[in-house]
Amino acid sequence: MASLPTGIRLITSFTRDQWYRAFIFILTFLLYASFHLSRKPISIVKGELHKQCASHDKVKLNILNENAFHDPAGKISDNETHCGWAPFDKKNYQQLLGALDYSFLCAYAIGMYLSGIIGERLPIRYYLTFGMFASGAFTTLFGLGYFYNIHNFGFYVITQIANGLVQTTGWPSVVTCIGNWFGKGRRGLIMGIWNSHTSVGNILGSLIAGYWVSTCWGLSFVVPGIIIASMGTVCFLFLIEHPKDIKCSSTPLISSKGHENGTNRFRVQKQILYTKESSKNLISKQDPEIQSLLSDGENGTIPPKFVTVLHGDGGNGMAAISFVGALRIPGVIEFSLCLLFAKLVSYTFLFWLPLYITNVDHFDAKKAGDLSTLFDVGGIIGGILAGVVSDRLGKRASTCGLMLLLAAPTLYMFSMVSKMGLEATIVMLLISGALVNGPYALITTAVSADLGTHKSLKGNSKALSTVTAIIDGTGSVGAALGPLLAGLISPFGWNNVFYMLMVADATALLLYGKISCVWADVL
């Protein structure tokens, strides 16, 4: 009997469950990468919407050639000038571009709080598919402003607001799905690798948008819009929400018996007043990081307070947790506030880095967009490194705190070194990307999943979507503030923008030190 080929032996060495789990890992990775791919074009196109007016005659000639594409007479529109695309050709262009970012991110932050609550009450596959189709439509609509020669600022703002709202369907959905399929044992590593979809999407979005930005910037939005809509079709056809849907063995998220046959489903939320003695017992069973969050710093106990627990009634399903119930989970509020400042830094780089490189290093929009992808390459490395270290140490907050401690001086070095040449800029982009995106990636994935499957929930996995939405929604408030502040501060000098980022990073670090004793762990 002939031996099996090596490839077949490799395939059969994995179980059916492992193949399905790998498939869901890759599918959700690609789905959310397409969300970030569709968000990136606006940062690349900024340098084209407002051009440097160094040579009036030369740029005017270019505009004549470009307008010939959609105006056979070659006549320059009254609204379009040699400084870029009206209304972004005025001196207040930085405030206008900042308003576009703020419109998207503010809508995203507000919508995120509602998205998790809605998402856990609807089938994930349908909810995510709708969000991807809608995101594709609004991303494409922004690009159509180029082809239809639209110069109304309100049009672009409304498009950004609508896109921000529908994009909130993505994150709670994919995190809930990946949380259903993967256990907690090596969650930091798994989530660290998986969360690199953010940086991969940013890189692809930068390259795609950069390809057309100097010739036809409308395609920089239309093509990503088509891609995310196409991925929505893939989501509808292939996404499997839970292992039990195809009779796969589920890797348990918590140690509990009786959950598989439905005899111990938890439907009723009840308030129970814990005594001081029961609080001690509760703390003794918590992870070290959660102990520090619950501790009052003197005798290691928590003051009496209401704790949400879920009781079973023998039903066949789980009730979705309330918004207030999710806030009662230890650590949710604290990590949400920390993410606010961490995400402020990360999203300021996401939306303003290409324009900064254009102004400081005097590259065109395409080269600046390509160079900015190195920040996301560093983000991939930082996210994976943060996951591995947190798994090995068993301390998520300490890992985040250490990276934030190193990020603050790195940001200052970046503002100084980036003016010294291309080579120095490349090195600092990689280092800054790793230290800035590492904590952000860890909180939005592994920490959110840990809290969403916390033992106080007694097995109610439906809380994961709401917890994820609360944490990322609060972080998105910082994501909205960062680009807005950058737009307001940058006219007074880019150094002032970096000072703002360093203050935000230091604030996040101080919050970690206050709520989870990071200083003691790090130092």
Side-chain angles (χ1 to χ4, degrees), residues 482-496:
L484 175 66
L485 292 174
L488 295 175
I489 297 173
S490 57
F492 301 98
W494 285 104
N495 283 340
N496 294 323

Side-chain angles (χ1 to χ4, degrees), residues 268-272 274 307-311 456-458:
V268 181
Q269 295 186 25
K270 185 177 180 182
Q271 306 268 357
I272 292 183
Y274 275 84
V307 179
T308 299
V309 295
L310 305 174
H311 294 274
S456 67
L457 297 171
K458 299 294 184 181

Side-chain angles (χ1 to χ4, degrees), residues 1 41 67 127 134 160 174 275 306 343 412 470 476 502 515:
M1 183 176 180
N67 275 313
Y127 187 57
Q160 285 287 83
V174 294
T275 64
F306 287 100
K343 206 167 182 179
Y412 177 77
I470 290 174
S476 297
M502 285 184 278
I515 68 174

